[in-house]
């Protein structure tokens, strides 16, 4: 699996010499001999249910579909820890959280002296850039250019942190600005004699789903169908019952669904007022004019029970879809730019998210759980010339695989301590016999917002075994073939004992392989 470069246009020996290559020599190279560029677009909380190339039920995403139609769609793409910071640390290091040490959003600061793929690319002569959400607390390293949003970022007239560590403000909608800055770097700022890798990392579609003003009216006539398990009772799944991410119970009426009540105060109301307080007076008027009749009708009707649940679900789906729409436009802008500049043949374009998201499945928004909707993440790629693979790739892949993929594509040797596996053989159309048959997952952020308990687990093609631990000791087993919505915990049923035994062995093997100190203890399990 390591001899990946046969048939590629650029050889391993060629690119490692890149750092020392003079610009004169590089000018002599023909267009085909240039090393590949990497345009890595990542959004926040964008789930496959809301991309028409994965799921036709809810909305159209024509530009994302362009990537999938011209290239490949991974149908089994997963994260290792379904939360922003940890997921970003996994992808940039190619290692699980136990190795990169960024376990959660709330207590960790990324050790920026550690090995990352942008640093290795830069060392090999690539121009590297990062624009948008970073969320790793320490300032970025390994980039020729970066400009990031503070923390979660602002949708409207947002703040940015510059390379001088200054905080500046820009006028506009964040998704558009991130694209403007990225295109500007590709067009005007980078050294065009060198290959480049740009990380275009959006805040969209993160909570609280504030749309670009021109799309406020979109999807307002649309009624979204609730998932069948919206009214899940969590029977046999106490950790699922204990969460605080229910659309009905936990989604805030002002902060999330924007129904301002001037007679009530709350922390979330103030936070919301701060967000929309960033709009100019003219913009704010447009915003308020849109919401005024909806707010009036809501408080007049004062829906309760299932009526309220459905009302909140519809508002959530509409806002989320509006934010995706601007995002999709901006992916189109990047593709058009690359096409116009004849860069497509020589560039790998990747679109993914930091994790999946619940669109009402189990009654939820947010992520965190190892259940399918949040452990999955969309992954589509437009491949450079020389890679013939098209259509679906069904092998199980994980966000720790991006780093080795980019390195291998650039001809940079993949360090042995990287946990992920290069996806290049899959992109070349190979079906490696020894491809992984099990994925490891570990979520740590508890106690914390949304109250999803700590858990680790293993997922194979057919089964998923999860162990919730810390203030609980509870196993769950799902047969994904007969129960894709993960409603029936089979753990403890006699006929599944052999499956559980095998999965526990696999789990321990992975925990040992990745050297995770928090691991399942088979001896204790036998007691
Ligand atoms: C914020 C959100 C949460 C969300 C986390 C993590 N609350 O804290 O709903 O789970 O981010 O999201 S909010 O009130 O600030 O909107 S992550 O994608 O960054 O990991
Ligand atoms: Ca996220």
């Amino acid at each position: 699996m390591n001899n990946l470069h046969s048939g590629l246009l650029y050889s391993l020996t060629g690119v490692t010499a890149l750092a020392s290559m003079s610009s004169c020599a590089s000018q002599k190279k023909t267009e085909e001999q240039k090393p590949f560029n990497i345009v890595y677009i990542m959004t926040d909380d964008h789930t496959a249910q809301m991309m028409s190339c994965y799921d036709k039920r809810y909305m159209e995403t024509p530009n994302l579909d362009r990537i999938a139609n011209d290239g490949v769609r991974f149908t089994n793409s997963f994260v290792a820890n379904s939360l922003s910071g940890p997921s970003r640390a996994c992808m940039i290091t190619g290692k699980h959280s136990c190795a990169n040490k960024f376990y959660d959003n709330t207590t960790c600061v990324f050790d920026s002296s550690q090995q990352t793929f942008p640093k290795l690319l830069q060392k090999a002569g690539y121009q590297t850039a990062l624009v948008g959400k970073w969320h790793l607390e320490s300032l970025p390293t390994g980039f020729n250019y970066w400009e990031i949003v503070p923390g979660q970022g602002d949708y409207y007239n947002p703040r940015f942190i510059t390379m001088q560590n200054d905080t500046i403000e820009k006028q506009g909608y964040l998704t558009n600005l991130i694209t403007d800055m990225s295109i500007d770097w590709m067009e005007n700022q980078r050294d065009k004699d060198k290959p480049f890798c740009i990380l275009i990392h959006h805040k969209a579609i993160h909570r609280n789903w504030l749309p670009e003003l021109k799309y406020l009216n979109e999807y307002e006539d649309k009624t979204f169908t609730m998932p069948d398990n919206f009214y899940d009772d969590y029977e046999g799944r106490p950790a699922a019952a204990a969460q605080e991410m229910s659309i009905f119970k936990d989604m805030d009426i002002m902060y999330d669904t924007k129904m301002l009540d001037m007679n009530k105060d709350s922390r979330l109301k103030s936070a919301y007022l701060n967000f929309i307080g960033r709009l100019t007076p003219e913009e704010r008027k447009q915003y308020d004019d849109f919401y005024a009749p909806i707010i009036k009708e809501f408080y007049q009707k004062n829906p309760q029970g299932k009526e309220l649940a459905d009302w909140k679900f519809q508002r959530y789906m509409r806002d989320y879809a509006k934010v995706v729409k601007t995002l999709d436009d901006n992916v189109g802008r990047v593709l058009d730019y690359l096409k116009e500049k004849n860069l497509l043949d020589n560039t790998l374009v990747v679109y993914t998210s930091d994790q999946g998201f619940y669109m009402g499945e189990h009654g939820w928004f947010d992520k965190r759980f190892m259940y399918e909707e949040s452990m999955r993440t969309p992954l589509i790629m437009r491949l450079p010339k020389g890679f013939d693979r098209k259509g679906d790739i069904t092998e199980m892949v994980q966000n720790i695989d991006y780093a080795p993929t980019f390195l291998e594509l650039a001809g940079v040797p993949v360090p042995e301590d990287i946990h992920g596996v290069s996806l290049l053989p899959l992109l070349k159309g190979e079906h490696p016999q020894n491809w992984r048959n099990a994925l490891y997952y570990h979520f740590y952020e508890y106690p914390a917002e949304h109250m999803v308990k700590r858990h680790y687990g293993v997922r194979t093609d057919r089964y998923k075994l999860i162990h919730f631990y810390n203030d609980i000791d509870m196993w769950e087993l799902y047969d994904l073939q007969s129960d894709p919505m993960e409603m029936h915990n089979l753990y403890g049923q006699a006929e599944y004992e052999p499956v559980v035994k095998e999965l526990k062995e696999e789990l321990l093997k992975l925990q040992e392989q990745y050297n995770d100190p928090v691991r399942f203890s088979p001896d204790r399990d036998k007691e």
Side-chain angles (χ1 to χ4, degrees):
M1 209 162 34
N2 280 330
N3 185 18
L4 298 169
H5 283 268
S6 57
L8 293 188
L9 297 169
Y10 201 78
S11 75
L12 187 83
T13 40
V15 83
T16 37
L18 184 71
S20 57
M21 197 189 279
S22 74
S23 70
C24 171
S26 69
Q27 273 162 18
K28 280 193 206 135
K29 286 183 145 299
T30 64
E31 204 46 36
E32 287 85 71
Q33 285 173 309
K34 273 191 185 164
F36 299 114
N37 305 309
I38 299 161
V39 173
Y40 170 19
I41 307 174
M42 185 161 79
T43 44
D44 198 309
D45 295 355
H46 193 192
T47 193
Q49 299 95 298
M50 300 301 270
M51 289 169 71
S52 45
C53 50
Y54 275 106
D55 190 331
K56 304 251 177 281
R57 285 175 302 168
Y58 295 130
M59 69 177 298
E60 292 299 316
T61 50
N63 291 297
L64 291 166
D65 295 6
R66 266 163 80 185
I67 300 182
N69 292 338
D70 293 348
V72 296
R73 177 181 81 147
F74 287 83
T75 57
N76 285 301
S77 152
F78 300 88
V79 295
N81 181 350
S82 183
L83 198 64
S84 166
S87 177
R88 286 157 209 274
C90 289
M91 69 82 188
I92 211 152
T93 60
K95 296 175 187 170
H96 280 280
S97 307
C98 56
N100 67 52
K101 309 279 185 220
F102 198 97
Y103 301 102
D104 60 58
N105 281 341
T106 42
T107 66
C108 298
V109 175
F110 185 68
D111 170 7
S112 60
S113 69
Q114 66 185 300
Q115 168 186 287
T116 64
F117 81 77
K119 280 188 195 171
L120 294 168
L121 288 180
Q122 199 182 33
K123 226 164 113 192
Y126 269 67
Q127 290 267 294
T128 57
L130 159 74
V131 186
K133 186 168 172 181
W134 171 241
H135 212 197
L136 290 178
E137 301 306 321
S138 51
L139 293 179
T141 51
F143 297 98
N144 295 78
Y145 165 75
W146 58 261
E147 202 157 318
I148 56 172
V149 298
Q152 296 286 9
D154 318 301
Y155 278 112
Y156 298 136
N157 302 323
R159 289 162 298 162
F160 284 90
I161 302 173
T162 68
M163 289 180 83
Q164 290 72 41
N165 202 8
D166 289 333
T167 302
I168 57 167
E169 239 176 64
K170 295 192 185 186
Q171 286 296 115
Y173 184 68
L174 182 57
T175 311
N176 297 329
L177 291 169
I178 289 174
T179 308
D180 294 345
M181 291 154 70
S182 302
I183 291 177
D184 184 60
W185 182 77
M186 288 189 278
E187 182 59 14
N188 301 316
Q189 295 183 51
R190 69 186 170 94
D191 177 347
K192 289 192 174 156
D193 287 334
K194 294 181 176 170
F196 69 91
C197 170
I198 183 167
L199 280 53
I200 307 176
H201 285 189
H202 291 282
K203 168 196 174 69
I205 304 76
H206 195 273
R207 193 181 178 191
N208 58 343
W209 319 291
L210 291 170
E212 186 180 5
L213 298 185
K214 75 172 185 191
Y215 286 145
L216 276 171
N217 284 295
E218 291 286 319
Y219 308 104
E220 284 298 310
D221 298 332
K222 193 168 162 96
T223 303
F224 294 87
T225 311
M226 267 186 174
D228 289 343
N229 63 350
F230 186 88
Y231 292 106
D232 190 353
D233 62 6
Y234 315 119
E235 199 195 322
R237 290 159 290 148
Q243 68 21 79
E244 294 179 2
M245 47 192 254
S246 143
I247 291 177
F248 179 57
K249 285 199 297 220
D250 304 304
M251 190 172 262
D252 189 78
I253 207 69
M254 290 196 248
Y255 182 80
D256 292 309
T257 62
K258 290 96 182 174
M259 296 299 102
L260 268 182
D261 179 345
M262 284 312 169
N263 302 315
K264 281 195 189 136
D265 281 318
S266 68
R267 181 186 63 81
L268 283 176
K269 177 185 174 182
S270 312
Y272 173 54
L273 286 174
N274 279 337
F275 293 157
I276 58 174
R278 304 191 65 81
L279 292 165
T280 64
E282 296 74 35
E283 289 167 340
R284 180 63 189 271
K285 183 174 181 312
Q286 195 186 336
Y287 188 90
D288 287 342
D289 285 350
F290 169 77
Y291 272 111
I294 303 174
I295 294 174
K296 192 167 165 219
E297 193 191 341
F298 175 75
Y299 285 111
Q300 260 168 11
K301 283 197 178 153
N302 191 22
Q304 301 294 321
K306 283 197 169 176
E307 207 190 330
L308 177 60
D310 184 58
W311 184 92
K312 286 174 101 174
F313 173 73
Q314 297 303 335
R315 293 266 23 114
Y316 167 48
M317 295 296 281
R318 285 173 189 159
D319 285 354
Y320 189 106
K322 292 174 199 186
V323 179
V324 172
K325 191 164 170 59
T326 301
L327 186 267
D328 184 72
D329 291 350
N330 278 281
V331 170
R333 287 178 62 207
V334 172
L335 292 174
D336 290 346
Y337 169 78
L338 295 172
K339 187 165 180 220
E340 190 191 309
K341 299 292 167 181
N342 283 326
L343 286 165
L344 277 176
D345 278 356
N346 206 36
T347 302
L348 172 72
V349 182
V350 175
Y351 181 86
T352 187
S353 170
D354 64 345
Q355 6 73 202
F357 214 68
Y358 294 94
M359 305 308 300
E361 298 86 0
H362 304 281
W364 298 337
F365 63 104
D366 216 66
K367 53 266 179 172
R368 297 161 191 266
F369 280 108
M370 197 189 162
Y371 303 134
E372 288 293 274
E373 290 80 0
S374 47
M375 186 186 178
R376 284 182 175 276
T377 199
L379 181 64
I380 49 178
M381 295 186 189
R382 192 189 192 289
L383 309 180
K385 221 172 167 177
F387 291 84
D388 301 326
R389 187 72 186 260
K390 267 206 187 307
D392 285 356
I393 295 180
T394 57
E395 279 87 352
M396 285 196 294
V397 304
Q398 207 164 19
N399 57 348
I400 50 171
D401 299 335
Y402 309 163
T405 304
F406 298 157
L407 292 172
E408 200 119 40
L409 184 80
V412 179
V414 178
E416 292 224 326
D417 61 352
I418 280 189
H419 292 163
V421 183
S422 168
L423 304 176
L424 240 58
L426 305 180
L427 301 184
K428 288 197 295 175
E430 293 167 15
H431 296 277
Q433 287 306 305
N434 57 346
W435 195 257
R436 65 160 75 83
N437 52 20
L439 289 176
Y440 183 58
Y441 183 90
H442 198 157
F443 175 81
Y444 303 80
E445 193 178 271
Y446 180 85
E449 198 176 5
H450 301 303
M451 296 302 272
V452 173
K453 294 183 189 293
R454 292 179 191 216
H455 57 291
Y456 52 70
V458 62
R459 187 198 189 279
T460 64
D461 265 351
R462 170 103 190 244
Y463 294 105
K464 191 182 286 178
L465 180 75
I466 315 176
H467 183 213
F468 290 93
Y469 70 94
N470 188 243
D471 62 352
I472 187 173
D473 181 5
M474 182 80 198
W475 290 86
E476 295 183 7
L477 172 73
Y478 297 97
D479 180 344
L480 299 169
Q481 216 167 67
S482 63
D483 179 24
M485 302 301 280
E486 297 158 303
M487 301 291 283
H488 307 289
N489 177 10
L490 304 171
Y491 190 87
Q493 297 194 11
E495 66 266 42
Y496 287 97
E497 265 168 28
V499 174
V500 166
K501 187 171 174 287
E502 214 174 290
L503 289 170
K504 281 188 175 168
E505 277 164 21
E506 187 63 55
L507 175 63
L508 195 60
K509 202 178 96 196
L510 291 173
Q511 290 183 320
E512 279 165 2
Q513 181 187 332
Y514 300 133
N515 200 16
D516 192 339
V518 179
R519 69 178 72 158
F520 151 62
S521 151
D523 296 336
R524 247 200 65 214
D525 203 49
K526 284 191 203 108
E527 282 163 16

